[in-house]
Amino acid sequence: MKKERLLGWLALFGSAVCFYLATVIISWGKPYVRIDSSHYVLARFIFGFVLVSATFLMEKRLPRCHNLHAILGRAFTNAVAVLFFYKAVEVSTVASANILNMTYPVFVAMLSWFTLRSQRDIPAIFIVVISTFGIWLILKPGLALSGHNEIWGLLSGIFAAFSMIYLTMCRRQHDSSTILFYVFTFGIVMMLPLMARSLFMPNATELFFLVICSLAGVVGQYLLTYGFLYVTAVEGSVISSSRILIAALLGPVLVADPPLDCAGWLGALLIFGANVALALRKRPATPLVQH
């Protein structure tokens, strides 16, 4: 049992690294290719669709939808969250995009106050206030430098929070593979009309960056799903939130992000601390969102 728990921890940490690596790859590709963030999103959905479809073929079963509203809600909000997340990487820094994307537990707490009366938690509101100050510290320096580009990262966190709530509803009636199948399928259907005029046949270099970015994102998603089989929601939330610290520490090294100043570090630590505090107050049955 201890071995399985350790594997769960490693899988979740690996998922955090993979999600961060996907954004690093987008940044690495900027000097070599001109690929809009929406194309990275579409490639990730196509790659994920192929993998999850292969899983169903090997298991000789079909995905069955039992709650259309929850599935569509999860698929739509996930697609928007990923699109805004990759857009944030495109127009701002990798560090701020990852840190602001990981604010979703705070927005889940906010949304739960209004939508789930049975889960209203007054102490959690104080945690939210502290985290909000951390968000302000991350945004304020960035707004002065890059003209509100960091807002995309914050929007990705907000939509990820909605996606979290829908995921909770989906898991009552669907397994992970079924949810992922509809998420990837709807993501493709949603993205294609938006990109009808910008679709192109990638050359070898463009295909390389599209594939490895998609691979990192999808592997991260599967590691997240696997890891939560063996760890508690609290442990999972804390380990997944380590992406905040990974982004803050490695940004200047891997992608030449400007180092966080004192205010930025304080903001990152406040958001990380708020996520941990909210996780400690979280009910065990509450799952973590899958980006």
Side-chain angles (χ1 to χ4, degrees):
M1 189 66 183
K2 289 183 179 179
K3 182 179 179 181
E4 291 179 342
R5 194 175 182 185
L6 177 61
L7 288 175
W9 289 347
L10 293 175
L12 287 174
F13 184 73
S15 73
V17 172
C18 284
F19 288 139
Y20 175 66
L21 185 59
T23 61
V24 168
I25 291 167
I26 294 175
S27 181
W28 282 345
K30 289 179 182 179
Y32 306 102
V33 295
R34 291 186 178 182
I35 302 177
D36 186 78
S37 55
S38 59
H39 291 88
Y40 281 108
V41 176
L42 178 61
R44 173 170 164 172
F45 288 151
I46 292 174
F47 195 88
F49 173 80
V50 171
L51 285 183
V52 76
S53 296
T55 300
F56 278 109
L57 285 175
M58 288 187 293
E59 295 176 353
K60 296 181 180 180
R61 65 186 181 98
L62 296 173
R64 299 187 182 278
C65 177
H66 302 290
N67 187 336
L68 183 61
H69 169 257
I71 285 288
L72 289 180
R74 163 64 178 164
F76 173 77
T77 53
N78 178 80
V80 175
V82 174
L83 179 60
F84 286 171
F85 182 35
Y86 282 7
K87 182 68 175 179
V89 176
E90 179 185 332
V91 300
S92 63
T93 67
V94 172
S96 67
N98 278 275
I99 293 170
L100 292 172
N101 175 258
M102 285 303 301
T103 59
Y104 71 83
V106 177
F107 292 111
V108 168
M110 291 182 183
L111 293 170
S112 297
W113 179 267
F114 295 102
T115 60
L116 302 172
R117 293 184 178 182
S118 61
Q119 295 188 21
R120 286 184 174 178
D121 186 353
I122 293 178
I125 296 301
F126 291 100
I127 299 173
V128 168
V129 171
I130 293 173
S131 181
T132 302
F133 180 61
I135 295 170
W136 179 80
L137 288 173
I138 294 293
L139 284 176
K140 188 173 183 294
L143 290 179
L145 294 172
S146 54
H148 302 259
N149 286 336
E150 278 77 8
I151 292 297
W152 292 108
L154 188 61
L155 288 173
S156 75
I158 293 172
F159 275 92
F162 281 103
S163 189
M164 162 69 163
I165 293 173
Y166 277 115
L167 178 59
T168 304
M169 297 168 59
C170 286
R171 280 197 166 171
R172 295 170 185 166
Q173 297 172 284
H174 306 89
D175 61 86
S176 295
S177 294
T178 299
I179 297 171
L180 289 173
F181 175 83
Y182 285 107
V183 163
F184 291 138
T185 302
F186 183 84
I188 295 170
V189 173
M190 177 180 165
M191 294 300 299
L192 283 176
L194 298 176
M195 301 169 56
R197 296 184 179 181
S198 62
L199 289 175
F200 65 97
M201 182 61 68
N203 58 35
T205 305
E206 292 166 338
L207 185 63
F208 171 76
F209 281 103
L210 287 170
V211 169
I212 61 173
C213 179
S214 302
L215 179 63
V218 173
V219 169
Q221 209 152 0
Y222 272 93
L223 285 174
L224 188 69
T225 303
Y226 174 81
F228 265 86
L229 293 174
Y230 303 110
V231 303
T232 66
V234 172
E235 293 170 332
S237 296
V238 173
I239 296 171
S240 295
S241 293
S242 66
R243 181 153 55 95
I244 295 173
L245 304 181
I246 292 172
L249 288 169
L250 297 184
V253 178
L254 295 181
V255 292
D257 275 351
L260 293 181
D261 57 13
C262 292
W265 267 108
L266 178 59
L269 291 174
L270 286 175
I271 294 170
F272 176 77
N275 285 357
V276 173
L278 289 170
L280 292 173
R281 303 187 64 81
K282 191 182 297 183
R283 297 183 178 185
T286 303
L288 188 72
V289 68
Q290 298 172 6
H291 292 306

